[in-house]
Amino acid sequence: MTLSYQQAIGQLLDAGRRLDARGWVAATGGNLSYRLDDGSVAITVSGRHKGDLVADDIMRVDMNGASLDGKAPSAETLLHTGLYRARPEVNAILHSHPRASVLYSLMVPSAVVVTLTGYEFVKAFPGVRTHEAVVALPIYNNTQDMPALQRKVDSWFENNPQAPAVYLVRGHGLTVGGATVDAARYTTEAVEELMAYELERSRWAR
Ligand SMILES: [Zn+2]
């Protein structure tokens, strides 16, 4: 079921408050979006605190990230439109800066892809039915060149059609797509929990 623009705004405001309650969108970090029926995307404007969003802080962009209503989109808008193009089943995307994900991404500087298995929480990824499944999450180096980053992300999803709609940007944050806003939020919570496990484990392994 797809949402009207007004419904999408309501759900994005709610998601912003919930992510803020967990401390995952500190300062003006993060951005949140929803794919609308007409192929445009409802997304948070640049520079607003995600815990304090009001309806006017949501704007519409086209699939290339261009503003449709004169408001200023975030530079990270391309992280959303690229994932929507790559994954037709994704209707909502949450990009946040949760602490364990950011720290873990910095602790594995040589790895391009982390694999997760043996955790009950891997079942939080769409289509995963057992803790024995192996889930691969790519980690990209951070950059302010969003089109360049988007090209790398696009090629990952093209070459890994089974991979979940999730990736990390090193020292920056986490981007998660889901069929609904809630689904994207649940997967965000699961990934952050898994990253916290991995961080803790890496301390014992020393
Ligand atoms: Zn960010």
Side-chain angles (χ1 to χ4, degrees):
M1 190 195 70
T2 52
L3 305 178
S4 69
Y5 185 39
Q6 288 310 317
Q7 290 170 323
I9 288 172
Q11 292 204 9
L12 294 176
L13 266 50
D14 179 61
R17 284 190 291 268
R18 289 169 185 266
L19 293 171
D20 180 44
R22 290 178 173 272
W24 296 349
V25 284
T28 59
N31 28 73
L32 324 170
S33 74
Y34 189 84
R35 187 208 300 263
L36 298 166
D37 265 348
D38 63 1
S40 68
V41 173
I43 189 164
T44 45
V45 297
S46 182
R48 298 308 304 264
H49 195 291
K50 305 308 169 294
D52 301 332
L53 292 173
V54 296
D56 195 42
D57 296 330
I58 309 294
M59 65 177 298
R60 281 173 57 240
V61 296
D62 67 17
M63 263 308 157
N64 297 314
S67 174
L68 294 174
D69 54 17
K71 296 181 190 174
S74 152
E76 292 175 339
T77 297
L78 291 180
L79 301 183
H80 295 247
T81 53
L83 188 49
Y84 285 126
R85 286 195 305 267
R87 288 299 168 90
E89 76 278 13
V90 166
N91 293 314
I93 296 174
L94 304 179
H95 167 73
S96 58
H97 299 170
R99 189 172 299 174
S101 296
V102 172
L103 281 173
Y104 185 75
S105 71
L106 287 168
M107 287 195 50
V108 285
S110 60
V112 174
V113 177
V114 282
T115 54
L116 299 165
T117 188
Y119 294 116
E120 183 67 10
F121 262 142
V122 297
K123 287 161 58 185
F125 293 100
V128 174
R129 309 244 177 280
T130 166
H131 64 282
E132 292 172 334
V134 177
V135 173
L137 301 185
I139 304 181
Y140 299 98
N141 287 328
N142 198 18
T143 174
Q144 304 305 318
D145 184 348
M146 288 299 151
L149 175 59
Q150 198 52 55
R151 282 192 292 278
K152 288 183 194 161
V153 174
D154 284 350
S155 109
W156 164 261
F157 286 114
E158 243 167 60
N159 296 320
N160 297 277
Q162 303 303 318
V166 177
Y167 62 92
L168 293 156
V169 179
R170 188 166 285 125
H172 175 167
L174 171 64
T175 300
V176 175
T180 64
V181 175
D182 278 347
R185 184 165 56 83
Y186 301 158
T187 304
T188 299
E189 291 179 4
V191 171
E192 173 64 1
E193 195 69 8
L194 287 163
M195 293 295 104
Y197 294 165
E198 290 286 304
L199 262 187
E200 200 61 35
R201 233 162 84 155
S202 67
R203 280 186 206 152
W204 304 340
R206 254 183 225 158

